Amino acid sequence: MLKDFNIMEKAGGVGKGITMNFTNIIVNSNTLEISLYWAGKGTIDVHQRGLNGPLISAITITSNFSTHTGFPVGAVVGIVIASYDFSPINKIGERWFGPVYKGVLADGKMIAIKQLSSKSKQGNREFVNEIGLISALQHPNLVKLHGCCIEGKELLLIYEYMENNSLARALFGRELSRLNLDWPTRKRICLGIARGLAYLHEESRLKIVHRDIKATNILLDKDLNAKISDFGLAKLDEDENTHINTRIAGTV
């Protein structure tokens, strides 16, 4: 869409926002893909590690299109929120920095919504960390992040819904919520966790240390497949020793 775009010239300074309008943008499967390509200009010298050149710190999008159902986007969001409204009945858990609720999208898809406190620095840090890390990761044993919302005082993270809640609840929860997990199922859950960690440590282009693996942060889908969640304390490790971390973090 923009050839030879120079963000430094366009912004005219550091920390300034740029608003641009685009038309005829195609969105497939609720996903808008933004690709940034290096134009082959600039330095060819190898500098010491640091920031070299202009940096895009954030991108926000305001749309004015309609969905294929004929409802304006704002109306669809309004329907979902109005029918949901964070009712205590739909609360499915309490995490470190806020409650988690069960919700339904306009297309009927079940979702889990984590509500973070905007007043908490830890909540803000977890919000940014989750978006920056888990949104870049795709693996069957990692919980999928569908999206997020920043509006007013609301900080929301939207995840795929996991029918069987957490491994902690399945093993140690109230008697009615516990699951009878036989040994083959337990082995499959352990292997799923291991595959997720192997992906984070070895297979992903981004080498990530979760730093808070525990039964509460392992979620189970309807088929009792294990998925790692809660990347609020995760760390991007660019060193060669991706498994070694001497800083204390996570749960005692």
Side-chain angles (χ1 to χ4, degrees):
M1 299 298 293
L2 296 174
K3 187 177 181 181
D4 296 333
F5 176 70
N6 189 321
I7 189 172
M8 186 169 61
E9 291 180 358
K10 186 69 176 179
V14 177
K16 296 185 178 181
I18 303 170
T19 301
M20 307 184 73
N21 295 318
F22 297 90
T23 58
N24 300 323
I25 302 299
I26 298 174
V27 179
N28 291 319
S29 302
N30 300 319
T31 301
L32 174 64
E33 182 173 312
I34 300 175
S35 299
L36 304 175
Y37 297 95
W38 178 54
K41 297 180 180 179
T43 181
I44 59 172
D45 295 331
V46 178
H47 296 278
Q48 292 183 351
R49 184 174 177 178
L51 295 178
N52 299 304
L55 176 70
I56 298 175
S57 59
I59 297 175
T60 183
I61 299 167
T62 302
S63 60
N64 61 356
F65 60 84
S66 296
T67 66
H68 65 279
T69 60
F71 286 101
V73 173
V76 173
V77 174
I79 291 169
V80 174
I81 294 177
S83 63
Y84 180 66
D85 203 27
F86 297 106
S87 169
I89 299 174
N90 290 320
K91 188 174 179 180
I92 55 177
E94 187 77 32
R95 311 304 288 174
W96 228 19
F97 303 126
V100 181
Y101 296 90
K102 177 172 65 176
V104 185
L105 294 179
D107 60 3
K109 179 185 291 184
M110 299 294 295
I111 54 172
I113 304 172
K114 183 193 291 186
Q115 187 180 31
L116 299 173
S117 171
S118 60
K119 297 179 182 179
S120 166
K121 288 184 178 179
Q122 290 178 314
N124 290 333
R125 186 159 52 244
E126 180 179 352
F127 183 85
V128 172
N129 216 30
E130 292 252 348
I131 293 173
L133 293 181
I134 198 172
S135 62
L137 304 173
Q138 296 290 334
H139 190 272
N141 295 110
L142 302 181
V143 170
K144 184 177 181 181
L145 179 69
H146 286 311
C148 64
C149 174
I150 309 173
E151 186 170 342
K153 296 181 179 180
E154 293 290 357
L155 291 179
L156 306 176
L157 292 168
I158 317 299
Y159 298 92
E160 62 177 318
Y161 180 67
M162 304 295 283
E163 289 81 358
N164 283 302
N165 209 283
S166 71
L167 180 59
R169 181 175 174 180
L171 294 174
F172 315 119
R174 296 177 181 176
E175 190 171 349
L176 291 175
S177 62
R178 290 180 196 169
L179 299 178
N180 184 18
L181 303 177
D182 56 26
W183 287 111
T185 301
R186 292 173 185 238
K187 178 182 178 182
R188 183 159 56 86
I189 290 172
C190 289
L191 287 174
I193 299 169
R195 289 190 185 98
L197 290 174
Y199 171 77
L200 293 173
H201 294 167
E202 303 288 352
E203 300 163 14
S204 169
R205 184 176 179 183
L206 301 175
K207 302 296 183 267
I208 293 172
V209 182
H210 186 281
R211 302 206 298 176
D212 199 19
I213 292 293
K214 57 183 179 179
T216 311
N217 290 340
I218 303 301
L219 303 184
L220 304 174
D221 67 10
K222 62 180 180 180
D223 298 317
L224 296 177
N225 294 308
K227 301 199 179 191
I228 298 171
S229 69
D230 277 2
F231 283 72
L233 294 176
K235 180 185 177 185
L236 180 64
D237 202 321
E238 296 174 329
D239 299 327
E240 291 184 5
N241 299 321
T242 58
H243 301 72
I244 300 174
N245 195 315
T246 56
R247 289 189 61 187
I248 297 174
T251 306
V252 177

